[in-house]
Amino acid sequence: MKFLSLIAAVILMWLAGLFVFAGRVQNFTPAQDPERADAIVALTGPSAERVNAAIRLLELDKGDRLLISGVNRDVRRGELRDLTPGSSKLFNCCVDLGFEAENTVGNASEIAAWARRNNYKRLIVVTSDYHMPRSLLEVRSALPGVVMVPYAVATPTLDSPDWWQTEKSARRMVLEYSKYLAVLGREAWHKLRGFHPERPLNAASGGHTQTVSAES
């Protein structure tokens, strides 16, 4: 009986945490234009909205440069430039592409290497609202001491109070919440052990980013 009560309590705590997490996700949007930072980073995702939002911030002079992290290796730089709005001149001069990251951990390491190389101390982080809590955890873990300013791209189906009534939205929120808890657990374990290794960019990474040029 005590065991069943314990299981029920754990499930209730998990559910309560899920709705707290969902509320945090919804509080990220609508995103206000942030104060200027040293640079902007965008974590690629299932659509171009994150990159488009980051390009817009660059056009508004919210940072000196933009890193687009996790670009598909098969995408040519010229193709990406043509798909994004805004000035080609600005894209050519001030956008760097990271091709090494294959997941959020890789994004964080790619961003950290780029920020250290350029001595950036304040970054605007652009990603989807549901992805933002975990992204901030990962980037802060890989790049301690640097200020992270979130700029979230809205996911309309998750911004509704009834997100849990739709299978697709509920699945996405639950999956992201579970991943977020896993990162929290990992970070707590590292703190407990007093150990935090420098993470590689991904399983096979050299930390390489490329600057977009007019010739590409």
Side-chain angles (χ1 to χ4, degrees), residues 13 24 36 52 66 86 97 111 128 138 152 175 180 199-200:
M13 289 176 60
R24 184 181 178 193
R36 196 179 194 280
N52 291 345
L66 164 63
L97 303 182
I111 289 166
S128 298
E138 294 286 14
L175 178 61
Y180 177 74
R199 295 201 303 257

Side-chain angles (χ1 to χ4, degrees), residues 63-154:
D64 293 336
R65 296 194 69 80
L66 164 63
L67 170 66
I68 303 174
S69 174
V71 178
N72 191 307
R73 293 174 182 271
D74 295 330
V75 175
R76 296 178 62 86
R77 290 177 291 182
E79 293 173 345
L80 182 61
R81 180 185 57 208
D82 292 341
L83 289 174
T84 56
S87 166
S88 294
K89 181 178 179 181
L90 183 65
F91 197 97
N92 292 339
C93 81
C94 304
V95 177
D96 298 326
L97 303 182
F99 292 94
E100 302 296 334
E102 298 175 354
N103 50 40
T104 307
V105 174
N107 289 138
S109 295
E110 191 164 65
I111 289 166
W114 180 77
R116 290 193 185 102
R117 189 162 59 247
N118 292 286
N119 197 32
Y120 294 140
K121 300 300 182 185
R122 181 181 173 90
L123 299 175
I124 297 172
V125 179
V126 182
T127 190
S128 298
D129 47 7
Y130 67 90
H131 190 230
M132 186 63 76
R134 182 162 58 99
S135 298
L136 292 177
L137 269 181
E138 294 286 14
V139 177
R140 284 169 177 157
S141 176
L143 194 59
V146 173
V147 176
M148 305 294 165
V149 181
Y151 186 84
V153 176

